């Protein structure tokens, strides 16, 4: 990209390409459909979802770790991505089911009957049968994929433009992003939002037209696609931060005023970074929810975006690697502890059930890591590694 | 000579307090001028106004005078290229007004060289910046500036490791890579050793050979070494103007500096 990038940086990119290739091959050869079956299909899904969380953690690291904007709203974009792809998945699959079940009838369904049947199937749960206007492109995969990029992109642009233009910074900006997330989540909870209210969209794991493959194969395919996206986005971000652009945004993080007085339009740079990372978050969400199978407004709750910041802080911000380590570690531990697999500990009167105590452990871990290493887990590893030498 | 910057009758009030009161000021091309005054005289506010950080309640700030021959009237007409009050900080910086802050503000985590590349005079559009490279001429330009600010051997050091005085120089260097027409230097000598002060005087005097420089200081000795016209500010107004000798013997100035 430019002579701002060093040879060491090129080596880092190569290492990452090799690492992600080995990891995905390793999982493939231990999976049920393509290997010896040591890794169950549900765990393949967990890994695939974790890879998606790594992608959004990368986005969070760029916007916060590199550009200094503590956005507590990026999970809203993640959720929006999920909704956009979920609309197509749900509509297409419902329409296939409706058409299949109508085969036995004497007359083929008319356009209106078909639409009413699909509407009833999808929106019956919120007491409707009409397909809302926002679903007008739901039968077109390409348009919905475009919306995965466009909807969060436009939302982030409008929000960012208003916020940055008014020079809202620091904790005030964080609060605004939380407000945006909360507003979006509350809106989606409404039954008349057109997205099935608190029921959300479900059955997303069934990919229309690919049902014959079975979940075993689909899960590993999604895992691969997620890995490919992680790789591409990592490389793009890596080149970005090692370009002059990276130099400018880290300078904005360190001293916004100085950059402004050097003639840079700081707001445009922030807006660029905010929109770019929102789009990446949305793509991550669009990959995540078909593997999760269901999305509802609770996914967009403000707390989710705070967790995102916690992952990046625990892993170590401003390094890209740290964000991924943080996201993977915390989310895997989280699903282990809250999944009921972790053995409960009993201290006589006090019985620690991890389902409830996990957040306590996470908070404790967060405090401990921040005390011992300001650069998170990655910083801790580096510290130990360097001191042993 | 032609005027580069003209400030006309500006006033600023903060919550009823008149920080700048009906102040007029101007500087010619390639001129070195100093502004002194006790704390609270309005020196920094004055710089804030020129650089767009504070908007005055009244007055005009004009930049880049040009004489244009009018065929119809058969005479020269004065045109000011820019009205600074309608521009924001980054636009004003791009016109060629560089500002050094009171406290040295450099990018501490980056190398001296990187600090200087950030301010290179180039397209500042983010889409263009994505693909920018450093050309050979720019390498040479940075080397030349490193030499001027006495930091050539510190090129690859992290800016945060530099001494206080060196940071001041680096900040001046950052202003230089963007080819400014006017430099506003706020307290360059603060926290410098005697030796560093001497070098700073040399740097500033050399700069004024092809750029206009306004130095704000409250250290009389340093200003004396600059050998330039001095303006004394007090309570947002000009108290005295002239050479350092005439200013320092002025009755009002003596009273402000020594009295009370």
């Amino acid at each position: 990209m430019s002579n701002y990038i060093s040879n060491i940086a090129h080596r880092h990119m190569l290492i990452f390409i090799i690492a992600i290739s080995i990891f995905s091959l390793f999982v493939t050869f231990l999976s049920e459909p393509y290997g010896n079956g040591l890794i169950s299909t549900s765990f393949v899904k967990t890994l695939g979802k974790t890879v998606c969380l790594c992608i959004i953690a990368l986005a969070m690291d760029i916007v916060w770790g590199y550009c200094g904007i503590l956005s507590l709203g990026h999970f809203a974009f993640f959720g929006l991505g999920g909704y956009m792809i979920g609309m197509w998945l749900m509509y297409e699959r419902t329409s296939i089911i409706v058409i299949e079940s109508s085969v036995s009838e004497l007359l083929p369904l008319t356009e209106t009957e078909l639409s009413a049947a699909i509407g009833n199937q999808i929106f019956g749960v919120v007491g409707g049968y009409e397909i809302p206007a926002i679903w007008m492109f739901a039968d077109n995969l390409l348009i919905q994929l475009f919306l995965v990029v466009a909807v969060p992109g436009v939302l982030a642009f409008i929000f960012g433009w208003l916020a940055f233009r008014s020079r809202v910074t620091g904790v005030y900006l964080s609060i605004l992003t939380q407000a945006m997330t909360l507003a979006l989540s509350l809106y989606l909870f409404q039954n008349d939002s057109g997205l099935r209210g608190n029921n959300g969209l479900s059955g997303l794991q069934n990919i229309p037209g690919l049902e014959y493959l079975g979940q075993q194969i689909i899960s590993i395919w999604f895992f691969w696609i997620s890995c490919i996206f992680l790789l591409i986005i990592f490389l793009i971000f890596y080149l970005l931060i090692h370009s002059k652009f990276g130099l400018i945004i880290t300078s904005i993080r360190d001293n916004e005023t100085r950059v402004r007085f050097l003639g840079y339009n700081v707001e445009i740079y922030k807006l660029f970074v905010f929109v770019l990372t929102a789009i990446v978050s949305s793509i991550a969400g669009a990959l995540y929810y078909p593997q999760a199978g269901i999305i509802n407004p609770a996914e967009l709750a403000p707390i989710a975006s705070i967790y995102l910041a916690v992952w990046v802080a625990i892993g170590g911000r401003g390094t890209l690697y740290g964000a991924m380590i943080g996201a993977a570690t915390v989310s895997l531990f989280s699903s282990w502890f809250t999944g009921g697999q972790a053995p409960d500990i009993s201290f006589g009167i006090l019985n620690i059930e991890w389902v409830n105590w996990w957040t306590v452990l996470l908070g404790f871990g967060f405090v401990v890591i921040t005390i011992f290493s300001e650069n998170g887990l990655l910083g801790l590893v580096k510290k130990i590694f360097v001191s042993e030498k | 000579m032609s005027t580069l910057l003209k400030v006309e009758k500006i006033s600023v009030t903060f919550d009823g307090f008149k920080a700048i009161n009906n102040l007029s000021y101007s500087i010619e091309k390639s001129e070195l001028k100093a502004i002194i005054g006790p704390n609270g005289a309005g020196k920094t506010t004055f710089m804030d106004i020129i650089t767009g950080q504070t908007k005055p309640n009244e007055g005009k700030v004009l930049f880049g005078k040009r004489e244009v021959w009018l065929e119809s009237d058969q005479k020269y007409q004065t045109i000011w290229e820019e009205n600074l009050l309608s521009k924001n900080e980054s636009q004003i910086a791009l016109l060629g007004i560089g500002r050094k802050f009171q406290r040295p503000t450099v990018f501490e985590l980056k190398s001296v060289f990187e600090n200087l590349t950030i301010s290179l005079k180039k397209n500042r559009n983010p889409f263009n910046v994505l693909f920018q490279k450093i050309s050979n001429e720019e390498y040479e330009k940075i080397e030349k500036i490193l030499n001027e600010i006495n930091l050539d051997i510190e090129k690859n050091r992290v800016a945060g490791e530099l001494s206080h005085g060196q940071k001041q120089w680096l900040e001046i260097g950052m202003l230089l890579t963007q080819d400014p027409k006017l430099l506003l230097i706020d307290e360059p000598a603060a926290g410098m050793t005697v030796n560093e002060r001497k070098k700073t005087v040399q740097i500033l005097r050399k700069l004024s050979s092809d750029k206009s420089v306004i130095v704000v200081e409250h250290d009389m000795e340093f200003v004396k070494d600059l050998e330039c016209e001095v303006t004394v500010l007090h309570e947002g107004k000009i108290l005295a103007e002239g050479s350092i000798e005439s200013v320092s013997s002025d009755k009002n100035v003596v009273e402000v500096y020594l009295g009370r």
Side-chain angles (χ1 to χ4, degrees):
Chain A
M1 192 176 265
S2 76
N3 46 1
Y4 283 88
I5 196 157
S6 65
N7 288 331
I8 300 167
H10 282 131
R11 209 184 305 149
H12 271 272
M13 298 202 299
L14 195 64
I15 289 171
F16 188 74
I17 294 171
I18 294 168
I20 197 103
S21 311
I22 291 173
F23 170 65
S24 52
L25 285 176
F26 180 76
V27 172
T28 307
F29 290 130
L30 294 180
S31 69
E32 284 170 3
Y34 298 106
N36 57 14
L38 267 177
I39 297 181
S40 69
T41 296
S42 75
F43 195 64
V44 169
K45 283 191 177 184
T46 306
L47 288 177
K49 285 190 286 182
T50 307
V51 171
C52 297
L53 296 179
C54 289
I55 298 176
I56 189 179
L58 285 178
M60 185 66 191
D61 200 21
I62 292 290
V63 76
W64 181 33
Y66 286 93
C67 200
I69 305 166
L70 176 52
S71 163
L72 296 178
H74 267 58
F75 228 87
F77 302 124
F78 188 85
L80 276 179
Y83 266 104
M84 290 306 132
I85 198 69
M87 284 160 81
W88 176 76
L89 290 168
M90 204 166 172
Y91 185 92
E92 244 348 75
R93 185 171 148 74
T94 312
S95 112
I96 289 171
I97 291 170
V98 167
I99 290 169
E100 269 174 8
S101 63
S102 72
V103 169
S104 55
E105 287 176 31
L106 290 169
L107 287 167
L109 292 175
T110 62
E111 197 84 344
T112 355
E113 281 172 330
L114 180 68
S115 148
I118 294 173
N120 196 33
Q121 279 287 321
I122 299 180
F123 300 103
V125 70
V126 286
Y129 56 88
E130 266 178 46
I131 299 176
I134 52 168
W135 287 69
M136 67 203 282
F137 301 117
D139 58 341
N140 190 325
L141 175 61
L142 283 179
I143 293 182
Q144 286 302 133
L145 284 178
F146 169 73
L147 290 179
V148 165
V149 174
V151 169
V154 169
L155 177 66
F157 183 86
I158 295 170
F159 177 87
W161 189 72
L162 291 172
F164 298 135
R165 193 191 57 140
S166 316
R167 299 212 179 151
V168 181
T169 51
V171 65
Y172 303 102
L173 187 89
S174 306
I175 293 169
L176 271 191
T177 55
Q178 277 275 284
M180 176 197 78
T181 313
L182 183 62
L184 192 64
S185 164
L186 289 178
Y187 175 72
L188 290 172
F189 265 118
Q190 309 268 321
N191 276 347
D192 54 6
S193 67
L195 289 163
R196 301 189 358 132
N198 64 343
N199 305 287
L201 308 180
S202 55
L204 310 183
Q205 73 278 23
N206 305 303
I207 312 301
L210 295 177
E211 287 94 341
Y212 64 92
L213 285 172
Q215 284 301 308
Q216 286 188 340
I217 290 184
I218 285 181
S219 65
I220 198 87
W221 283 15
F222 259 102
F223 170 77
W224 289 338
I225 299 170
S226 306
C227 284
I228 291 169
F229 268 91
L230 178 66
L231 181 64
I232 293 171
I233 284 160
F234 177 86
L235 294 180
I236 291 174
F237 281 170
Y238 204 87
L239 287 170
L240 190 77
I241 56 170
H242 286 90
S243 69
K244 187 170 178 186
F245 187 87
L247 203 60
I248 306 298
I249 61 168
T250 46
S251 300
I252 290 173
R253 172 194 68 192
D254 296 338
N255 196 330
E256 190 177 320
T257 316
R258 179 71 271 178
V259 180
R260 186 172 287 132
F261 278 100
L262 288 175
Y264 288 93
N265 193 334
V266 169
E267 286 68 40
I268 301 282
Y269 279 80
K270 285 186 172 179
L271 192 57
F272 185 103
V273 172
F274 194 73
V275 171
L276 176 73
T277 53
I279 290 171
V280 168
S281 304
S282 175
I283 292 172
L287 288 166
Y288 180 95
Y289 287 105
Q291 305 183 64
I294 182 163
I295 179 170
N296 61 51
E299 299 279 323
L300 283 76
I303 189 72
S305 295
I306 295 178
Y307 271 128
L308 177 60
V310 170
W311 297 342
V312 176
I314 284 183
R317 65 196 162 111
T319 54
L320 292 189
Y321 286 109
M324 290 188 287
I325 291 169
T329 318
V330 181
S331 68
L332 285 176
F333 269 118
S334 165
S335 59
W336 191 65
F337 277 112
T338 57
Q341 287 136 304
D344 292 346
I345 304 169
S346 184
F347 294 111
I349 41 165
L350 184 69
N351 187 30
I352 294 186
E353 288 166 353
W354 286 116
V355 179
N356 301 325
W357 278 80
W358 156 244
T359 39
V360 177
L361 181 69
L362 178 64
F364 184 71
F366 182 55
V367 171
V368 168
I369 288 168
T370 350
I371 288 173
F372 286 102
S373 160
E374 55 182 306
N375 295 320
L377 279 175
L378 192 74
L380 206 63
V381 171
K382 270 187 189 160
K383 232 184 209 174
I384 295 164
F385 188 67
V386 171
S387 64
E388 272 181 0
K389 261 187 182 173
Chain B
M1 286 232 268
S2 60
T3 311
L4 184 66
L5 175 82
K6 190 169 164 190
V7 175
E8 257 179 24
K9 296 181 179 171
I10 49 167
S11 296
V12 187
T13 314
F14 297 126
D15 294 329
F17 168 71
K18 280 218 160 176
I20 298 280
N21 192 357
N22 202 20
L23 182 81
S24 296
Y25 190 82
S26 70
I27 185 163
E28 306 291 310
K29 284 191 179 133
S30 307
E31 193 187 10
L32 173 64
K33 277 181 130 182
I35 297 178
I36 58 171
N39 284 332
K43 302 182 301 260
T44 302
T45 310
F46 178 66
M47 291 214 164
D48 283 347
I49 290 170
I50 297 174
T51 52
Q53 200 169 24
T54 304
K55 296 288 172 206
N57 305 90
E58 292 164 40
K60 285 181 192 166
V61 183
L62 301 165
F63 186 70
K65 187 169 133 180
R66 215 162 41 129
E67 301 288 327
V68 180
W69 177 251
L70 280 183
E71 277 299 331
S72 53
D73 296 2
Q74 292 293 304
K75 63 167 186 182
Y76 281 101
Q77 197 196 10
T78 309
I79 288 182
W80 287 93
E81 282 175 358
E82 308 292 346
N83 169 18
L84 296 189
L85 295 186
S86 64
K87 302 201 179 298
N88 65 27
E89 297 97 320
S90 55
Q91 289 167 333
I92 290 173
L94 286 180
L95 290 177
I97 300 183
R99 178 179 185 183
K100 194 201 87 66
F101 292 94
Q102 197 166 348
R103 211 164 50 90
T105 38
V106 295
F107 303 112
E108 308 248 333
L109 301 176
K110 300 187 169 59
S111 73
V112 169
F113 184 83
E114 282 175 328
N115 265 283
L116 294 174
T117 61
I118 292 171
S119 55
L120 275 172
K121 188 179 187 182
K122 292 186 102 161
N123 191 330
R124 268 130 163 79
N125 181 313
F127 294 96
N128 189 294
V129 165
L130 276 176
F131 303 101
Q132 274 178 16
K133 295 178 184 182
I134 309 168
S135 68
N136 285 339
E137 296 89 72
E138 283 162 349
Y139 265 109
E140 281 164 24
K141 183 176 164 189
I142 291 176
E143 293 286 350
K144 199 176 136 246
I145 287 166
L146 279 168
N147 203 3
E148 278 178 43
I149 56 172
N150 299 312
L151 287 177
D152 31 1
I153 50 164
E154 312 286 4
K155 182 178 156 186
N156 293 319
R157 261 180 88 182
V158 176
E161 292 174 3
L162 298 178
S163 75
H164 188 81
Q166 286 174 319
K167 282 183 194 168
Q168 305 263 38
W169 292 340
L170 177 58
E171 199 178 352
I172 294 175
M174 285 162 71
L175 304 184
L176 293 182
T177 45
Q178 55 176 347
D179 292 334
K181 296 185 181 112
L182 171 65
L183 287 169
L184 304 172
I185 315 275
D186 205 348
E187 305 218 353
M192 280 191 169
T193 62
V194 178
N195 221 345
E196 285 174 331
R197 275 158 173 259
K198 275 187 191 153
K199 280 185 181 162
T200 309
V201 170
Q202 282 170 8
I203 291 173
L204 292 175
R205 292 186 59 174
K206 196 167 163 229
L207 286 180
S208 66
S209 64
D210 61 344
K211 294 171 182 58
S212 309
V213 183
I214 300 178
V215 178
V216 167
E217 253 302 340
H218 56 203
D219 181 339
M220 284 281 216
E221 285 302 309
F222 182 80
V223 174
K224 199 174 275 176
D225 293 340
L226 286 175
E227 295 172 19
C228 64
E229 195 186 299
V230 180
T231 305
V232 185
L233 276 192
H234 178 56
E235 292 176 347
K237 278 187 283 202
I238 292 179
L239 196 65
E241 256 176 318
S243 70
I244 186 77
E245 287 79 19
S246 73
V247 161
S248 53
S249 58
D250 187 289
K251 208 179 86 211
N252 293 330
V253 175
V254 172
E255 195 179 310
V256 164
Y257 261 83
L258 302 174
R260 282 193 289 182

